[in-house]
Amino acid sequence: MLRVFVFLILLNKSRTDAFLEPVALSNVLAELKDEVLGVKRMQTFFDNSKFVYEKVDGKREIDLLSNLLRQRFHDNIFALEQIKTTVENAYSNQQVYSSPIYPECCNINPTETDYRFKTKVFRDRFCELRAKYVSKGAKHLSKSLKETMINNLNKNPDLKWQYFGSQEGILPVYPAFKFPSCDSYDNRVRPWYVEGIAPEPKDIVLIIDKSGSMEDIIGNKTLIEIAVSSAVSVLNSLNSNDRAPTTNEVMPPEVLTPRRVQTRSTDLHQ
């Protein structure tokens, strides 16, 4: 923003002068520093403030900070374990439903503003994000998960969003919030989900057919558009440890055959 401000000053000045003199530029920058950034006012504030100097025990401060961080991680892990236990019990005890009992997040209009979530929410409600293609026979979790998440937030007010992503494409989330659109979120292709179910690094090779048949239309999209969209979803699901080769050139079709390699038995032991 500051760069734009300076540029506009120079541009305006150039209308009357062939070029901006060094002294004039210095004055402009000084004005920017004092009037826009308020450096002088801030310095005056600090000069007139009273400070108390005291000796600090560095080891003690580090220990306090370490204990604080340890407790914060412990509280978050405890909340996560509570969700894990609740989900496992729900599936093992058949406390799941074939039809949803909570609304989709795109169909609600929360009214409570909560600074922790930076949006309007329902702190006493639960909603679901459902993928466009939900697996057949998908299961929806019961009220026990909502109660667990509410208890987690009551015990640890620093918690943010709590959710569980199923392999069927259903993501219950608490607290309930307004999602912009329906069918546009699929937890199964999100990096955090893919990395959780496949933690090992992956090498991905994408091959997209560009023949004339890819111009055929299904629904309101061509096959090539569907293929590209699917490829983008795969790439978006990768994490920093995965690899995917890319090329900017359109390569002609080519038949690849393995090349015979002469080896000796001694080579296999090296």
Side-chain angles (χ1 to χ4, degrees):
M1 190 66 181
L2 296 179
R3 293 178 180 176
V4 175
F5 180 80
V6 174
F7 174 76
L8 291 177
I9 292 176
L10 297 177
L11 183 62
N12 186 47
K13 190 73 175 177
S14 65
R15 293 181 180 178
T16 55
D17 299 338
F19 58 90
L20 195 61
E21 295 289 344
V23 175
L25 176 60
S26 176
N27 292 336
V28 169
L29 294 178
E31 181 182 357
L32 175 66
K33 175 174 68 74
D34 296 333
E35 300 300 327
V36 178
L37 299 181
V39 173
K40 279 189 176 181
R41 289 192 296 272
M42 183 63 69
Q43 187 62 53
T44 301
F45 171 80
F46 281 112
D47 291 341
N48 296 331
S49 299
K50 295 182 179 180
F51 298 91
V52 177
Y53 296 91
E54 61 180 19
K55 188 176 181 180
V56 176
D57 186 342
K59 184 179 183 305
R60 176 177 175 275
E61 294 298 325
I62 291 177
D63 289 341
L64 289 175
L65 179 60
S66 175
N67 291 333
L68 178 63
L69 292 175
R70 184 182 297 109
Q71 186 62 44
R72 177 67 61 86
F73 280 114
H74 175 271
D75 293 342
N76 291 343
I77 292 174
F78 176 79
L80 182 62
E81 290 175 342
Q82 293 297 106
I83 294 175
K84 175 178 178 291
T85 300
T86 301
V87 171
E88 290 176 343
N89 290 338
Y91 276 96
S92 61
N93 297 328
Q94 300 299 315
Q95 295 177 345
V96 290
Y97 303 91
S98 57
S99 58
I101 60 176
Y102 296 106
E104 284 192 87
C105 298
C106 57
N107 292 327
I108 63 174
N109 292 293
T111 57
E112 306 170 34
T113 301
D114 193 313
Y115 71 93
R116 291 171 294 185
F117 305 100
K118 299 181 180 180
T119 188
K120 291 184 177 181
V121 299
F122 282 134
R123 284 190 292 264
D124 60 342
R125 302 187 193 180
F126 206 66
C127 66
E128 291 182 341
L129 295 176
R130 301 171 196 156
K132 185 175 183 178
Y133 301 105
V134 175
S135 301
K136 186 177 181 180
K139 302 300 182 182
H140 302 262
L141 291 169
S142 64
K143 296 180 180 179
S144 59
L145 182 58
K146 183 188 76 170
E147 294 170 354
T148 295
M149 291 181 174
I150 291 178
N151 289 334
N152 282 342
L153 187 60
N154 290 336
K155 293 179 180 178
N156 184 1
D158 292 328
L159 282 178
K160 297 298 188 291
W161 303 104
Q162 301 177 70
Y163 48 84
F164 164 72
S166 75
Q167 64 181 3
E168 298 154 333
I170 298 175
L171 186 137
V173 58
Y174 172 81
F177 73 106
K178 177 72 172 181
F179 197 71
S181 61
C182 300
D183 303 333
S184 62
Y185 187 92
D186 191 335
N187 63 273
R188 295 168 297 186
V189 298
R190 303 304 299 167
W192 59 266
Y193 183 88
V194 176
E195 188 171 357
I197 62 174
E200 295 297 325
K202 301 179 292 297
D203 290 328
I204 304 296
V205 177
L206 299 175
I207 301 176
I208 299 179
D209 182 9
K210 296 190 66 177
S211 63
S213 63
M214 295 298 286
E215 296 300 324
D216 293 346
I217 297 177
I218 295 182
N220 59 349
K221 292 185 177 181
T222 63
L223 291 178
I224 189 64
E225 290 175 332
I226 296 174
V228 170
S229 177
S230 300
V232 170
S233 296
V234 172
L235 293 176
N236 287 338
S237 71
L238 302 181
N239 58 56
S240 58
N241 296 321
D242 299 329
R243 298 186 302 178
T246 59
T247 178
N248 293 326
E249 299 180 1
V250 179
M251 304 298 293
E254 180 181 359
V255 177
L256 301 179
T257 57
R259 181 168 58 91
R260 186 179 299 276
V261 179
Q262 298 293 334
T263 61
R264 296 173 298 178
S265 59
T266 54
D267 295 334
L268 302 178
H269 298 284
Q270 294 180 353

